[in-house]
């Protein structure tokens, strides 16, 4: 046996999916670090995740956010690798990604990287937990990054309402704490008390980061023996101080925090009810799955369910139920209901109907057939689980290691197998009026509250809610027929794989007619009983005015609304569907087990063909759409910048303000006239992939053609040649720097944002790889300089941009500390710094970067969805370069450093005569005075009117120009 670890054979065998060919081994190092090794010879990426059993609950008093701050600090440097940010740089330059997060009782660090760079990456990663460097300078800078992260969340309802729930709990329990941290908690307040935050940080690390509290998952391409030797070698130096596992006994909610009705004012328009009960944590009975059983029934959306009734009454637009927040010591069961305006007026009735449904469950008792159905669905899902990115897999498993015995590390709570009436009943007994907390959010409460939550400034008030009050509500609530669901007819029973003689590597054009094209690819890689179907309806009449855009949106949402009670069972059984509007029509997507896929698809198609407008549902959907448009102004400033960039570049894009303006005037009659007009002429672009035979694929499309184009009075006719539409992109002028400035849409938001876009070319293999290589090399230096060193803002990214085949690069930065104009100047300063670095790259570094990009391109698809999304993008953009990756790799192999320098000098360099750039600047409230100052900058072309600008500029040609010309 290898020195440094012991193999733990005495534990039961780790349960893994039947289709999983990977090998697993559990070892424990001499320092008590528990490790799971995973060997996957087929992988292109390797990954690791270290889960430390300490989180924000362990923050010292008066240093809120210290655990989260430490998570940030470990990325900087170590004694062995002392160059700041060299870990992240190494990972990025070798085709990988890295991140971390802090929860209440865990902190998780993880990365993935190209397989040939894994050993060094793992060594760098291990040093986080052996000898990290936390310099005084980096400490001060990173407090600003933590504060910027908090500033980003200040106006987010998710963060605000989560903290409000914590605020209304016992001050003696760590659940009550603020956990993100800020400049105030990590710098200002400690300083006034004479506390040195850096010393506290070092102390926290020393006292808590002990090997016996850590769980490591390593996902390697090599065999288990080699992986074991590598782990022993790199991780045995982690200190073990035999720190006892932090335990936070007791309940966060005492009697004063129960039986309360909390009215809170959110940022966004809308109304929401959160009904919450403290419960015995389901993790203690994870094989019995009590919360899974109750969540399935209370959250059901089929006929007779609570949601079905609330929807029929026009009171709710969504409902979810389950146990999202839990530890081993305490937990909450939550029911979250999005309300309509009418539902807001009937909130008492809604709470009453929920308790009536719980009463129904009490009377019915736990039903074995329902449990068996959940168990069967879970078992199929586990055994036919799609492969996911190695980094996501290791994070999931590492977190499970802290909670479950080794045999269940892969399974977790996902396979309820023991039907225990008593355990389900005891959890159900906890969902009572005596134990409830009701959080009711609405902008209507503005001005009617009397308290403020201290960390996020949420306005709220609290009222007592007695059992007798709820009893009265139940007595006067409408008498609706609530019932348990019927058996699920969508559970697949035929999981056999279809044999196909022609195993094409890429999609083939299987069928073509005046009405449609069918691209087809049989699954020869993943070998799962699943399929992917995409039908794109190109409708020239659907997007040519604000009215038609909104009506197309309402149309697709109504379809989803009508399908819900029938097709909800399909989703539960692992068959997913969506109808969504596009720039030029709408799309139907169905993906999942192929056995009953056709039944679902033909139902969806039938609903489209026999579409009716139900006035009651029309008004509910119109209200939802209106709120969505009204809430646009509460998007993060960087999202607003991305929206303006698309508005400027996309030829047919219309502003959301016009759609909001026409919305109030649209009625049922408008949709009744629009629907037949939209479908009057249409073309179907189709893609079918997976476990489906070619004949069946053809017959599916023939059926859809028959529904729309055949019969005495067809719904649709073929498109005229002139009607094939595509989105085209504005061609920016060479040598011109464009700028578009706008005030942030939310006057309460202090964050400003910059999107600095450089347009390069239209899809071309040679230019694509040069652009991609530039982004790969520049990404981490940009992050290090603009975020880590200059601390401009938590959101700082450099990424490629692809608008329908028109490629470029964009810097996106959001900040409270600097205005957009200053940030733009810093982006240009970075490009000047990078220019000299580019010349200094050694031949070895250049080759290493090229090889990393080649590895990235040759990375195998993990599952059918991922593969299908790639091929569908080629089809929808009209590029049809299904062998794109192989052809780009061939070019990369001959690329030189001079090629990259020439590319940079022509397209990216500051002041390059051929450069085309657009700077979108969003001014937050703290920089609004800067926005109002009229200043003409030399060499900048200011865009005042987006639409005049678009009309006066040429467009790139569309790849979809030859839509009818592709030969079979």
């Amino acid at each position: 046996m290898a020195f440094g670890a012991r193999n733990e054979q005495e534990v039961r065998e780790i349960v893994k999916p039947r289709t999983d060919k990977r090998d697993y081994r559990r070892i424990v190092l001499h320092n008590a670090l528990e490790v799971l090794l995973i060997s996957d010879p087929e992988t292109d990426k390797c990954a690791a995740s270290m889960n430390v059993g300490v989180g924000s609950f362990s923050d010292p008093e008066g240093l809120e956010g210290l655990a989260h701050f430490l998570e940030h600090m470990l990325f900087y440097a170590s004694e062995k690798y002392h160059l700041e940010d060299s870990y992240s740089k190494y990972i990025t330059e070798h085709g990988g990604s890295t991140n971390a997060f802090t929860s209440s009782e865990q902190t998780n660090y993880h990365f993935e990287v190209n397989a040939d760079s894994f050993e060094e990456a793992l060594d760098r990663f291990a040093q986080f937990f052996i000898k990290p460097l936390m310099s005084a300078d980096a400490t001060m800078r990173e407090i600003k990054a933590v504060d910027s992260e908090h500033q980003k969340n200040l106006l987010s309802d998710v963060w605000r309402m989560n903290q409000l729930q914590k605020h209304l709990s016992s001050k003696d329990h760590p659940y009550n704490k603020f956990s993100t941290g800020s400049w105030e908690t990590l710098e200002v307040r400690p300083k006034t008390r004479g506390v040195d935050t850096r010393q506290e940080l070092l102390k926290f690390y020393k006292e808590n980061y002990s090997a016996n509290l850590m769980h490591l998952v390593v996902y390697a391409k090599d065999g288990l023996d080699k992986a074991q030797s590598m782990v022993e070698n790199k991780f045995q130096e982690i200190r073990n101080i035999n720190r006892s596992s932090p335990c936070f006994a007791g309940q966060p909610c005492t009697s004063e925090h129960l039986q309360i009705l909390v009215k809170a004012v959110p940022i966004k328009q809308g109304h929401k009810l959160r009904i919450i009960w403290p419960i015995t944590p389901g993790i203690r009975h994870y094989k019995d799955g009590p919360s899974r059983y109750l969540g399935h029934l209370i959250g059901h959306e089929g006929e007779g369910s609570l949601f079905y009734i609330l929807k029929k009454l026009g009171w709710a637009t969504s409902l979810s139920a389950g146990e999202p927040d839990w530890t081993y010591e305490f937990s909450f069961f939550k029911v979250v209901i999005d309300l309509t305006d009418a539902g807001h007026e009937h909130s008492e009735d809604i709470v009453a109907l929920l308790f009536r449904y719980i009463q129904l469950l009490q009377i019915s008792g736990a039903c074995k057939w329902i449990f068996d159905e959940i168990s069967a669905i879970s078992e199929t899902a586990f055994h036919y689980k799609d492969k996911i990115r190695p980094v996501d897999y290791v994070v999931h498993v590492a977190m499970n290691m802290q909670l479950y015995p080794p045999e269940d590390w892969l399974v977790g709570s996902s396979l309820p197998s023991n039907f225990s009436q008593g355990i389900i009943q005891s959890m159900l007994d906890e969902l009572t009026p005596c134990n409830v907390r009701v959080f009711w959010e609405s902008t209507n409460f503005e001005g009617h509250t009397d308290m403020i939550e201290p960390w996020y400034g949420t306005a709220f008030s609290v009222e007592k809610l007695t059992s007798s009050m709820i009893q009265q509500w139940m007595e006067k609530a409408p008498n609706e027929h609530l019932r348990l669901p019927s058996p699920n007819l969508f559970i697949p029973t035929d999981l056999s794989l279809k044999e196909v003689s022609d195993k094409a590597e890429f999609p083939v054009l299987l069928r073509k007619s005046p009405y449609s094209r069918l691209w087809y690819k049989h699954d020869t890689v993943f070998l799962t009983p699943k399929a992917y179907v995409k039908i794109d309806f190109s409708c020239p009449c659907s997007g040519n005015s604000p009215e038609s855009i909104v009506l197309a949106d309402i149309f697709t949402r109504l379809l989803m609304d009508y399908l819900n009670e029938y097709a909800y069972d399909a989703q539960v059984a692992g068959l997913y569907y969506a109808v969504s509007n596009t720039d030029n029509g709408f799309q139907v997507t169905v993906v999942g087990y192929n056995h009953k896929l056709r039944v679902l698809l033909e139902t969806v198609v039938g609903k489209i063909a026999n579409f009716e407008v139900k006035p009651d549902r029309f008004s509910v959907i119109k209200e939802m759409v209106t709120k969505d448009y009204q809430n646009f102004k509460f998007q993060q400033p960087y999202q607003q910048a991305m929206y303006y960039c698309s508005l400027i570049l996309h030829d047919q894009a219309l502003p959301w303000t016009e759609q909001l303006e026409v919305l109030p005037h649209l009625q049922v009659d408008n949709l009744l006239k629009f629907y037949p007009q939209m479908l009057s002429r249409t073309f179907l672009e189709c893609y079918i992939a997976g476990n489906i035979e070619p004949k069946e694929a053809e017959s599916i499309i023939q059926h859809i053609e028959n529904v729309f184009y055949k019969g005495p009075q067809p719904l649709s006719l073929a498109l005229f040649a002139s009607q094939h539409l595509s989105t085209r992109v504005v061609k920016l002028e060479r040598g011109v720097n464009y700028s578009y400035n706008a005030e942030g849409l939310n006057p309460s938001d202090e964050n400003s944002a910059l999107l600095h876009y450089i347009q390069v070319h239209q899809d071309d293999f040679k230019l694509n790889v040069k652009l991609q290589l530039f982004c790969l090399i520049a990404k981490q230096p940009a992050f290090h300089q603009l975020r880590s060193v200059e601390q401009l803002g938590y959101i700082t990214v450099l990424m490629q941009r692809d608008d329908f085949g028109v490629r470029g690069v964009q810097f996106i930065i959001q900040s409270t500390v600097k205005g957009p104009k200053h940030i733009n100047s810093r982006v240009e300063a970075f490009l000047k710094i990078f220019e000299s670095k580019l010349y200094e790259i050694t031949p070895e570094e250049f080759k290493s970067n090229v090889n990393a990009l080649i590895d990235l391109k040759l990375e195998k698809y993990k599952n059918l969805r991922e593969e299908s999304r790639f091929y569908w993008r080629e089809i929808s953009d009209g590029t049809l370069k299904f062998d794109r990756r192989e052809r780009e790799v061939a070019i990369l192999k001959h690329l030189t450093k001079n090629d990259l320098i020439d590319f940079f000098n022509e397209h990216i360099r500051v002041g390059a005569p051929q450069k085309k750039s657009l700077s979108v600047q969003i001014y937050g409230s703290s920089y609004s005075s800067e926005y109002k100052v009229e200043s003409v900058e030399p060499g900048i072309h200011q865009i005042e009117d987006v639409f005049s600008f678009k009309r006066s500029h040429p467009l790139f040609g569309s790849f979809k120009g030859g839509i009818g010309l592709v030969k079979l």
Side-chain angles (χ1 to χ4, degrees):
M1 189 177 295
F3 170 76
R6 62 184 189 276
N7 290 0
E8 297 287 324
Q9 303 298 352
E10 70 276 9
V11 298
R12 287 161 60 189
E13 197 175 330
I14 292 171
V15 178
K16 69 175 194 174
R18 284 193 289 269
T19 52
D20 189 349
K21 298 182 192 140
R22 294 169 290 207
D23 292 322
Y24 297 85
R25 179 186 292 168
R26 172 185 181 254
I27 62 171
V28 181
L29 303 192
H30 285 321
N31 58 2
L33 174 66
E34 202 167 11
V35 184
L36 180 66
L37 307 170
I38 305 173
S39 167
D40 179 3
E42 294 178 1
T43 193
D44 305 295
K45 284 273 199 298
C46 294
S49 172
M50 179 72 90
N51 205 69
V52 184
V54 174
S56 58
F57 277 6
S58 299
D59 284 345
E61 198 61 46
L63 278 165
E64 294 86 355
L66 193 69
H68 177 223
F69 178 40
L70 174 60
E71 170 231 298
H72 276 238
M73 286 304 301
L74 290 194
F75 278 79
Y76 265 84
S78 62
E79 280 191 19
K80 184 171 180 181
Y81 298 100
H82 58 272
L83 202 63
E84 202 175 276
D85 243 10
S86 63
Y87 160 77
S88 300
K89 183 172 185 284
Y90 183 85
I91 299 285
T92 305
E93 287 184 353
H94 292 87
S97 62
T98 177
N99 213 331
F101 58 84
T102 306
S103 65
S104 53
E105 296 186 322
Q106 305 181 20
T107 306
N108 188 287
Y109 301 85
H110 49 273
F111 76 90
E112 72 175 2
V113 75
N114 291 339
D116 59 358
S117 309
F118 185 49
E119 187 160 355
E120 183 174 336
L122 196 64
D123 192 53
R124 289 169 177 274
F125 181 69
Q127 296 304 313
F128 284 16
F129 313 102
I130 297 170
K131 284 192 175 170
L133 286 181
M134 295 184 252
S135 72
D137 176 49
T139 303
M140 188 54 70
R141 279 186 276 126
E142 205 55 28
I143 292 176
K144 291 176 182 171
V146 169
D147 186 64
S148 177
E149 186 175 352
H150 174 55
Q151 294 291 333
K152 166 185 77 72
N153 301 332
L154 275 176
L155 297 176
S156 159
D157 283 328
V158 172
W159 287 88
R160 293 166 73 87
M161 296 307 157
N162 182 45
Q163 190 63 42
L164 180 58
Q165 289 165 47
K166 290 157 69 112
H167 179 66
L168 294 169
S169 68
S170 168
K171 291 194 165 32
D172 299 328
H173 196 283
Y175 177 75
N176 181 263
K177 290 179 177 179
F178 165 63
S179 57
T180 309
S182 65
W183 184 254
E184 183 73 18
T185 67
L186 295 170
E187 173 62 17
V188 178
R189 291 185 190 180
K191 203 169 243 178
T192 58
R193 300 197 317 272
V195 171
D196 182 331
T197 301
R198 180 167 173 268
Q199 288 309 314
E200 291 295 325
L201 185 75
L202 297 170
K203 182 181 168 195
F204 185 87
Y205 178 83
K206 190 176 174 187
E207 291 178 357
N208 291 290
Y209 273 48
S210 174
N212 71 304
L213 293 187
M214 297 179 184
H215 292 91
L216 174 68
V217 182
V218 169
Y219 193 108
K221 192 176 179 74
D222 296 319
L224 292 173
D225 291 340
K226 187 166 181 193
Q228 178 169 336
S229 161
M230 188 163 63
V231 166
E232 288 163 9
N233 187 18
K234 297 186 189 311
F235 289 90
Q236 62 189 358
E237 286 180 49
I238 298 176
R239 285 178 324 127
N240 176 21
I241 56 169
N242 282 314
R243 165 88 159 85
S244 57
S245 203
C247 180
F248 304 96
Q251 293 301 306
C253 296
T254 59
S255 56
E256 70 173 290
H257 307 112
L258 302 174
Q259 291 190 294
I260 54 171
L261 170 63
V262 182
K263 293 178 179 173
V265 183
I267 297 292
K268 290 187 173 181
Q269 293 289 324
H271 325 282
K272 199 187 286 276
L273 271 173
R274 297 177 200 265
I275 301 99
I276 303 170
W277 295 267
I279 56 165
T280 304
I283 179 84
R284 297 184 188 177
H285 306 288
Y286 68 92
K287 291 198 172 169
D288 311 282
S291 60
R292 182 81 177 271
Y293 178 91
L294 294 175
H296 171 72
L297 292 176
I298 296 170
H300 209 278
E301 299 182 16
E303 212 167 310
S305 67
L306 173 62
F307 180 66
Y308 175 82
I309 298 298
L310 295 178
K311 195 178 128 179
K312 194 179 84 172
L313 291 164
W315 293 351
T317 56
S318 78
L319 184 151
S320 63
E323 187 187 11
D325 297 340
W326 54 269
T327 70
Y328 204 83
E329 296 297 328
F330 72 89
S331 184
F332 295 103
F333 190 91
K334 297 187 178 183
V335 178
V336 182
I337 309 171
D338 282 307
L339 310 178
T340 60
D341 291 346
H344 177 68
E345 299 303 320
H346 287 273
S347 62
E348 292 178 6
D349 291 330
I350 292 170
V351 172
L353 284 166
L354 168 59
F355 276 104
R356 275 217 207 136
Y357 193 82
I358 290 168
Q359 206 170 52
L360 166 71
L361 297 182
Q362 288 279 12
I363 294 161
S364 312
C367 299
K368 187 169 190 307
W369 76 265
I370 293 176
F371 182 88
D372 288 346
E373 198 176 81
I374 295 167
S375 186
I377 289 168
S378 303
E379 185 146 339
T380 306
F382 179 69
H383 287 296
Y384 292 96
K385 191 187 286 191
D386 287 339
K387 253 189 172 181
I388 56 174
R389 288 172 62 205
V391 70
D392 296 331
Y393 191 56
V394 294
V395 167
H396 170 71
V397 177
M399 292 178 75
N400 278 355
M401 286 172 76
Q402 190 170 320
L403 302 161
Y404 301 96
E407 64 266 25
D408 290 329
W409 281 348
L410 307 185
V411 174
S413 299
S414 70
L415 270 187
S417 50
N418 303 335
F419 175 64
S420 169
Q421 207 161 359
I423 286 171
I424 291 171
Q425 187 60 49
S426 68
M427 184 174 281
L428 187 57
D429 290 342
E430 292 180 291
L431 309 186
T432 69
C434 310
N435 203 22
V436 77
R437 290 152 60 87
V438 178
F439 288 79
W440 183 10
E441 301 160 30
S442 173
T443 40
N444 291 11
F445 295 141
E446 203 156 342
H448 302 285
T449 56
D450 55 4
M451 284 184 263
I452 297 286
E453 187 280 315
W455 296 107
Y456 291 82
T458 305
F460 73 99
S461 61
V462 182
E463 298 168 26
K464 206 67 189 155
L465 187 60
T466 63
S467 301
S468 59
M469 285 165 73
I470 290 176
Q471 194 57 46
Q472 284 167 16
W473 295 356
M474 287 169 75
E475 284 162 14
K476 69 179 180 63
N479 199 10
E480 295 291 338
H481 180 55
L482 292 160
R483 64 172 177 80
L484 295 179
S486 307
N488 189 335
L489 303 176
F490 278 102
I491 296 175
T493 51
D494 178 3
L495 297 165
S496 61
L497 298 180
K498 312 269 174 80
E499 269 302 313
V500 171
S501 53
D502 183 19
K503 295 179 167 41
E505 187 184 354
F506 300 114
V508 293
L509 186 57
L510 189 62
R511 180 181 185 279
K512 180 167 169 270
S513 78
Y515 312 110
S516 72
R517 288 197 304 185
L518 167 60
W519 298 93
Y520 168 81
K521 185 180 183 299
H522 184 71
D523 171 23
T524 55
V525 181
F526 312 107
L527 307 178
T528 59
K530 297 179 182 180
Y532 183 102
V533 176
K534 178 85 83 172
I535 317 286
D536 183 82
F537 287 73
S538 178
C539 310
C541 297
S542 71
N544 53 12
S545 69
E547 289 84 355
S548 56
I549 290 170
V550 175
L551 288 168
D553 189 8
I554 294 175
F555 162 73
T556 55
R557 293 200 205 202
L558 275 172
L559 278 168
M560 290 294 284
D561 186 73
Y562 298 162
L563 283 161
N564 193 56
E565 46 265 24
Y566 167 78
Y568 178 74
D569 273 348
Q571 307 233 95
V572 170
L575 188 52
Y576 303 96
Y577 70 98
V579 186
S580 53
N581 60 319
T582 63
D583 288 345
N584 299 314
F586 62 96
Q587 258 174 24
V588 174
T589 310
V590 185
V591 56
Y593 301 114
N594 56 276
H595 179 204
K596 299 183 180 178
L597 182 143
R598 187 162 183 174
V599 177
L600 178 61
L601 179 61
E602 291 187 358
T603 304
V604 173
V605 167
K607 282 279 186 203
I608 295 168
N610 300 299
F611 181 71
E612 53 179 328
V613 184
K614 298 175 184 172
D616 59 331
R617 299 313 298 162
F618 176 88
S619 36
V620 167
I621 299 296
K622 179 182 167 182
E623 184 190 306
M624 279 175 73
V625 172
T626 304
K627 282 177 186 158
D628 283 352
Y629 278 115
Q630 288 170 337
N631 286 329
F632 187 91
K633 63 176 176 286
F634 300 116
Q635 283 191 326
Q636 294 266 0
Y638 81 89
Q639 294 169 314
Q640 294 173 34
M642 291 168 79
Y643 158 77
Y644 285 122
C645 190
S646 297
L647 184 67
I648 290 165
L649 293 176
H650 298 176
D651 173 39
Q652 298 295 326
L654 299 179
W656 68 278
T657 45
E658 291 180 4
Q659 286 140 54
L660 181 59
E661 196 176 313
V662 300
L663 244 169
H665 312 294
L666 297 175
Q667 303 303 332
V668 169
D669 281 354
N670 299 100
L671 186 52
L672 284 168
K673 286 176 193 154
F674 171 76
Y675 160 73
Q677 184 189 1
M678 175 175 72
L679 280 180
S680 61
R681 289 195 182 270
T682 185
F683 182 82
L684 311 180
E685 187 81 77
C686 315
Y687 179 65
I688 297 182
N691 193 37
I692 287 186
E693 292 162 334
K695 278 197 173 64
E696 191 184 350
E698 289 192 68
S699 124
I700 287 171
I701 302 310
Q702 185 61 64
H703 170 78
I704 297 173
E705 278 194 11
N706 292 344
V707 169
F708 288 99
Y709 301 98
K710 305 293 157 72
Q713 287 186 302
L715 285 164
S716 304
L717 298 171
L719 288 189
F720 289 121
S722 61
Q723 289 182 299
H724 286 279
L725 292 176
S726 64
T727 302
R728 294 176 65 187
V729 177
V730 169
K731 189 184 274 190
L732 300 179
E733 202 175 319
R734 292 187 184 281
V736 179
N737 298 317
Y738 297 93
S739 181
Y740 179 75
N741 300 348
E743 269 191 293
L745 297 168
N746 179 6
S748 306
D749 197 337
E750 293 185 2
N751 287 282
S752 294
L754 168 80
L755 189 155
H756 183 100
Y757 168 64
I758 301 167
Q759 191 178 75
V760 179
H761 67 287
Q762 190 169 27
D763 191 36
D764 168 277
F765 291 144
K766 267 189 184 166
L767 287 168
N768 290 352
V769 297
K770 291 174 188 176
L771 176 65
Q772 288 155 7
L773 190 59
F774 162 73
C775 290
L776 179 82
I777 296 171
K779 183 180 177 182
Q780 192 55 36
F783 181 87
H784 176 68
Q785 181 62 35
L786 300 171
R787 189 192 127 168
S788 302
V789 176
E790 298 188 27
Q791 284 298 330
L792 292 176
Y794 176 75
I795 295 173
T796 300
V797 286
L798 178 159
M799 61 195 289
Q800 293 175 66
R801 185 181 173 103
D802 181 352
D803 297 271
F804 308 97
V806 175
R807 309 292 185 101
V809 60
Q810 57 188 2
F811 292 80
I812 298 170
I813 301 171
Q814 182 167 297
S815 177
T816 49
V817 295
K818 296 291 179 186
K821 200 168 285 181
H822 175 84
I823 301 170
N824 195 56
S825 72
R826 298 316 302 154
V827 167
E828 299 205 326
F830 163 74
L831 286 172
K832 287 173 182 167
I833 296 167
F834 182 78
E835 185 178 348
S836 58
K837 294 258 169 70
L838 192 57
Y839 283 94
E840 290 163 14
I841 289 177
T842 65
E844 295 73 33
E845 284 173 323
F846 180 78
K847 185 154 182 44
S848 167
N849 284 313
V850 167
N851 288 339
L853 187 53
I854 287 173
D855 288 347
L856 268 175
K857 289 193 168 298
L858 294 180
E859 197 177 319
K860 292 186 278 289
Y861 303 110
K862 309 290 178 298
N863 52 58
L864 180 65
R865 269 191 205 212
E866 197 179 281
E867 179 192 77
S868 298
R869 277 199 287 260
F870 175 83
Y871 290 134
W872 178 252
R873 180 76 188 259
E874 293 293 329
I875 293 163
S876 65
D877 280 356
T879 41
L880 303 177
K881 293 168 182 168
F882 299 129
D883 60 348
R884 167 183 302 281
R885 304 191 325 169
E886 293 75 7
R887 288 169 70 182
E888 288 183 347
V889 163
I891 290 167
L892 264 172
K893 286 177 176 171
H894 301 290
L895 201 69
T896 66
K897 178 181 163 183
N898 283 339
D899 291 335
L900 183 62
I901 289 171
D902 291 346
F903 169 82
F904 179 85
N905 286 337
E906 183 176 348
H907 298 285
I908 311 287
R909 183 174 59 82
V910 176
Q914 299 295 302
K915 184 175 175 178
K916 305 183 285 185
S917 74
L918 165 64
S919 167
V920 179
Q921 305 185 9
I922 307 297
Y923 288 79
S925 57
S926 47
Y927 286 89
S928 58
S929 56
E930 196 178 294
Y931 169 76
K932 288 171 181 136
V933 174
E934 294 275 335
S935 63
V936 179
E937 290 181 72
I940 300 291
H941 178 100
Q942 199 69 42
I943 299 172
E944 303 293 347
D945 178 332
V946 170
F947 306 101
S948 301
F949 170 78
K950 289 208 275 194
R951 282 192 295 270
S952 63
H953 279 71
L955 306 173
F956 283 97
S958 166
F959 288 109
K960 296 192 90 164
I963 198 161
L965 307 176
V966 175
K967 297 278 186 280
L968 270 168

